[in-house]
Amino acid sequence: MKLYISVLNCVSCVAVVLLHTNGIFWSHPSGELWISANFIETYFYWAVPIFFMISGATLMDYRERYTTAEFYKNRIKKTVVPFVFWSLISGMFMAYISEVPMDWNIIHIIDNTFNTRYFSIYWFFIPLFAIYISFPIISFAAENIQLMTFFALIGSIVVFTLPLLCELFHITMNKDVVPPVVSGYMVYIFLGYILDKVTLDKKKRWSIYIVGIIGWFIHFEGTSMLSTGAEINTMFKGYTNFPCLLQSVAIFVLFKYMDYKKIFGRFYHIVSDMIFKCAKCTFGVYLLHYFFVIGLPKEFNIDGRRLIWRVGGGILIFLICALFTHFAKKNQIIRKVLP
C-alpha cells in the first residue's frame, strides 16, 4: 500500500474517534462550548468520505490482483464477519450499559444488526457492502479514466450540488434525477481512484486547497448561524453535501502530495514503518473505539463537555484500540473478527 494511503487511513481513523468523543455537538450547547464543538465536528468531517475514497483508490482495479470470487471472499472475511460479530457484542454491551435485558429473538437481532441499531456508528458498513457489490461492474470503468471523471462530475452535480441548491431555493428535490451509477457515496469511490491515478500540478492543487477551506467554512459558519434552540441545522451537513465534497477532496490531495521524506527526515523509514503498521489496525480501532467512547464516561464519570475529553480522550482511545488490535491480531482466532 502507498504511504500516503496509509497516512490517510491513520489520520481519518483518529478523526472518526474525535467526532464521536465530540458527541456533545449534537446537543447544541451554547457559548464557547458550541464554538469548539462545531469546530471539531466540521474540521474533521472529511473522515468518513476519505475512507470511501481509499476504497476507490485501492479496490477499483482489484481485477489486476485477483478474481471477482476471491474479491468477494476477502470482503466477506474482512468486513461482513467482523460486522456481524461486533454488532452482536455491541448489542450485549448496550444491554449492560442501559441495564435493559437484550432481546434474543432472532428476528429482532437480525433487524437491529441490519439496521445498525446497537451501535449507530456501524452504519458505515451498509453502504460499504452496497459498494462492494457494485465493484465487479464499476471496476470495468477503471480502464477509462475519462469515463470515470464523467461519472464523478455528474455525481458531484446531481448528488452533492443540486440537493443543496434545491434546499436553498425551497425547491423539492426529485431524487429520481440521480443516475443509479453515481448514487449514494459512489462519487467518492470514483474520485478516490481518479485522484490516486492522475497527477496534479501545483496550481491545481492549491486551487483545490482553497475551495476545500471554503467548503469547511461554509459548513462551519452555516451550521453556526442557522442552528437555533436545541436544533442543529443540517442544511450544510451530510457526507453527500457540497461543502463536505470540497473539503474531502482537498484533504485527499493534501496528503497525497506531502513530501514525507522531507517531513520525517532521517526517521523516514522508522516512521513510515510505524504508519504502515498503524494503518493495518485502523479497522480494528473503528470496530472497538465506541465501546470506550460510551463506557469510559459512564465508568469514570467523565464530563463529556470538557475539551480534554473531546480531544485528548479521543486520541487516547485511538492509541488504546490500535495497540490492542496490533497485539490481538497475532492470535489466529481473534484476527478472524478483528482483521
Side-chain angles (χ1 to χ4, degrees):
M1 185 177 289
K2 298 174 182 177
L3 178 59
Y4 91 89
I5 292 290
S6 291
V7 173
L8 275 171
N9 241 317
C10 295
V11 297
S12 297
C13 191
V14 172
V16 165
V17 180
L18 292 175
L19 287 174
H20 293 151
T21 53
N22 188 51
I24 190 70
F25 165 82
W26 292 102
S27 67
H28 193 198
S30 58
E32 293 183 358
L33 180 56
W34 164 245
I35 295 173
S36 65
N38 188 31
F39 179 84
I40 293 172
E41 165 76 10
T42 56
Y43 189 80
F44 293 108
Y45 206 68
W46 44 266
V48 171
I50 288 294
F51 279 123
F52 284 121
M53 294 174 78
I54 289 174
S55 293
T58 58
L59 295 176
M60 185 67 78
D61 57 357
Y62 78 87
R63 294 178 184 277
E64 298 177 4
R65 300 185 296 278
Y66 34 72
T67 65
T68 296
E70 291 172 325
F71 171 79
Y72 278 136
K73 182 180 178 180
N74 289 336
R75 293 304 99 196
I76 290 173
K77 287 171 57 179
K78 293 183 177 181
T79 58
V80 177
V81 172
F83 164 68
V84 173
F85 177 83
W86 289 104
S87 290
L88 293 175
I89 297 298
S90 65
M92 290 185 281
F93 177 78
M94 292 306 295
Y96 169 76
I97 290 291
S98 63
E99 299 180 354
V100 176
M102 183 171 175
D103 187 341
W104 288 100
N105 178 278
I106 187 63
I107 299 300
H108 183 80
I109 291 174
I110 292 173
D111 182 27
N112 282 352
T113 299
F114 182 64
N115 291 287
T116 62
R117 294 196 185 98
Y118 293 132
F119 267 10
S120 60
I121 67 157
Y122 287 170
W123 70 267
F124 176 79
F125 282 103
I126 305 305
L128 187 65
F129 294 156
I131 288 169
Y132 286 162
I133 294 171
S134 304
F135 264 124
I137 300 173
I138 64 174
S139 60
F140 285 110
E143 302 172 3
N144 190 331
I145 201 75
Q146 288 78 21
L147 178 61
M148 292 193 65
T149 303
F150 173 75
F151 286 156
L153 178 61
I154 294 299
S156 297
I157 294 171
V158 299
V159 177
F160 291 81
T161 311
L162 190 57
L164 178 59
L165 291 175
C166 286
E167 188 167 1
L168 286 170
F169 292 100
H170 306 289
I171 299 171
T172 301
M173 171 68 184
N174 190 333
K175 295 183 179 180
D176 289 335
V177 74
V178 179
V181 72
V182 296
S183 63
Y185 302 96
M186 288 304 301
V187 171
Y188 287 124
I189 299 296
F190 294 131
L191 285 173
Y193 182 79
I194 293 168
L195 293 173
D196 178 65
K197 296 300 180 184
V198 302
T199 300
L200 301 173
D201 58 40
K202 192 172 182 178
K203 184 177 180 180
K204 290 179 181 177
R205 297 201 303 268
W206 275 101
S207 297
I208 290 173
Y209 300 152
I210 292 171
V211 297
I213 293 172
I214 293 173
W216 164 76
F217 183 78
I218 291 172
H219 185 184
F220 173 79
E221 194 62 29
T223 302
S224 180
M225 291 186 353
L226 297 177
S227 297
T228 57
E231 294 292 324
I232 299 292
N233 186 282
T234 58
M235 178 177 291
F236 298 107
K237 298 195 70 63
Y239 296 125
T240 55
N241 207 333
F242 190 60
C244 182
L245 176 68
L246 299 180
Q247 186 184 21
S248 302
V249 169
I251 291 294
F252 192 95
V253 173
L254 174 66
F255 280 93
K256 177 184 177 181
Y257 288 94
M258 279 186 177
D259 188 345
Y260 294 103
K261 287 188 176 181
K262 183 177 180 180
I263 294 171
F264 300 146
R266 58 178 178 168
F267 301 106
Y268 173 78
H269 294 292
I270 297 174
V271 176
S272 59
D273 183 57
M274 291 176 61
I275 290 172
F276 283 128
K277 289 180 179 178
C278 180
K280 293 179 180 179
C281 299
T282 53
F283 185 48
V285 174
Y286 176 72
L287 289 167
L288 297 173
H289 79 277
Y290 209 57
F291 291 95
F292 293 90
V293 172
I294 293 177
L296 288 181
K298 183 177 179 63
E299 185 68 24
F300 297 102
N301 196 28
I302 296 172
D303 186 354
R305 297 172 298 176
R306 298 185 64 186
L307 191 61
I308 192 171
W309 161 252
R310 291 183 288 134
V311 177
I315 294 173
L316 178 62
I317 290 172
F318 171 83
L319 293 174
I320 292 172
C321 293
L323 286 171
F324 178 83
T325 302
H326 174 72
F327 290 107
K329 286 174 67 173
K330 297 182 183 296
N331 183 287
Q332 294 300 316
I333 296 177
I334 295 178
R335 71 184 306 165
K336 292 182 183 298
V337 295
L338 205 61

